[in-house]
Amino acid sequence: MNETEHFHVDEVSSSYWRVTFDNGPVNLLDPDSVEQLAELVGRMENDPDLTVAVFRSEKPGYFMAHWDFASDSARVLGMQPGPTGLNPYVDNFVRLSRLPLATISEIRGRTRGAGSEFVLATDIRFASEQATLGQFEIGVGTVPGGGPMARLGRLVGRGRALEILLGGDDIPAALAADYGYVNRLVPDAQIEEFTDAFARRIASFEKVAVTGIKQLVDMATLPDDEEFARGLAAYFATAGRPENRPFIRMLFDKGLQQPDGIETDLGTAIGRLRLRA
């Protein structure tokens, strides 16, 4: 297996794939992830038999931490539009949501920022008590770019969406389940078996029925593409501003993007640091 491959696909059967994300010690999304996810989504779109896919991580404590702050965001800005006409970062998430199959996130660790945006683009989210979600971007002076403004209000309601996005705090799995941010809380010792059994159940059904049901649910619930375009434009307009660089450097000094540094309680820690500033 290619060690630079971020999405490792286990084809359990012709109708069921398990996809494990693996990129660095805390599973960061970066420009390579964007390109590789585009390829993976394309494979899924064109597979006539694939009916369900589970996204997971084997990185202790981390599902997808967030976007890599040390990566070249200009590379993403310069990418050619994807099939939807949107920048590939959000094109991936829009197409992931609309895949003609069921997608499930098995969340066992920290899933913030871009990681949260990824799981929000999947159809079903199961979380163990070890999961933490959140959109902390406001704490670093940025509007989130991957569509949580478009998706969260439809999932949890306007007030709770604003609580999550404007508070920028860590959301523990139990509260995320209460809010509807995830479908349900499953004990960590059972979540892999539970998710696998649920996926196998869907895989046993005829794809034409799965696809038909999903298309009709999508018609009633998915945001328009323009909502994602506006969100990403706001991200590019606010990310990387010179006035925020000292704060980002301070976060790196405190262990940003390291497993045992500030990453362990990132959203909460950023809020405390902002209050002291």
Side-chain angles (χ1 to χ4, degrees), residues 38-176:
E39 291 181 14
L40 176 61
V41 170
R43 284 178 60 193
M44 291 176 159
E45 287 172 332
N46 293 309
D47 191 301
D49 299 316
L50 184 60
T51 306
V52 60
V54 172
F55 291 94
R56 57 191 299 277
S57 164
E58 292 181 348
K59 199 78 63 176
Y62 294 91
F63 179 86
M64 288 181 179
H66 50 74
W67 183 255
D68 183 355
F69 282 89
S71 69
D72 182 8
S73 293
R75 179 177 154 198
V76 177
L77 180 60
M79 289 178 178
Q80 292 299 308
T84 64
L86 298 168
N87 178 279
Y89 182 76
V90 291
D91 174 85
N92 285 341
F93 294 157
V94 170
R95 290 165 60 213
L96 179 62
S97 292
R98 294 176 182 164
L99 283 171
L101 58 127
T103 55
I104 304 168
S105 290
E106 178 187 295
I107 311 168
R108 302 181 68 184
R110 296 166 184 87
T111 310
R112 306 182 181 103
S116 167
E117 292 163 0
F118 180 95
V119 300
L120 287 170
T122 60
D123 300 325
I124 297 164
R125 291 158 295 282
F126 297 135
S128 85
E129 68 273 15
Q130 295 185 8
T132 300
L133 296 93
Q135 299 284 166
F136 64 88
E137 290 90 340
I138 194 169
V140 294
T142 302
V143 175
M149 292 80 68
R151 297 190 192 277
L152 274 170
R154 290 166 167 85
L155 282 173
V156 306
R158 182 175 183 274
R160 286 173 171 173
L162 289 170
E163 177 188 346
I164 293 165
L165 291 160
L166 297 182
D169 207 348
D170 290 336
I171 308 296
L175 182 60

Side-chain angles (χ1 to χ4, degrees), residues 149-225:
M149 292 80 68
R151 297 190 192 277
L152 274 170
R154 290 166 167 85
L155 282 173
V156 306
R158 182 175 183 274
R160 286 173 171 173
L162 289 170
E163 177 188 346
I164 293 165
L165 291 160
L166 297 182
D169 207 348
D170 290 336
I171 308 296
L175 182 60
D178 287 344
Y179 277 15
Y181 198 161
V182 300
N183 287 66
R184 68 167 80 186
L185 185 67
V186 182
D188 189 72
Q190 301 170 21
I191 191 169
E192 186 170 349
E193 180 180 357
F194 175 89
T195 305
D196 181 66
F198 186 75
R200 289 178 186 275
R201 178 178 175 85
I202 294 175
S204 73
F205 300 142
E206 292 187 24
K207 181 169 182 173
V208 66
V210 173
T211 300
I213 290 168
K214 182 173 171 181
Q215 285 177 339
L216 291 167
V217 171
D218 287 353
M219 287 174 60
T221 59
L222 286 186
D224 292 333
D225 289 359

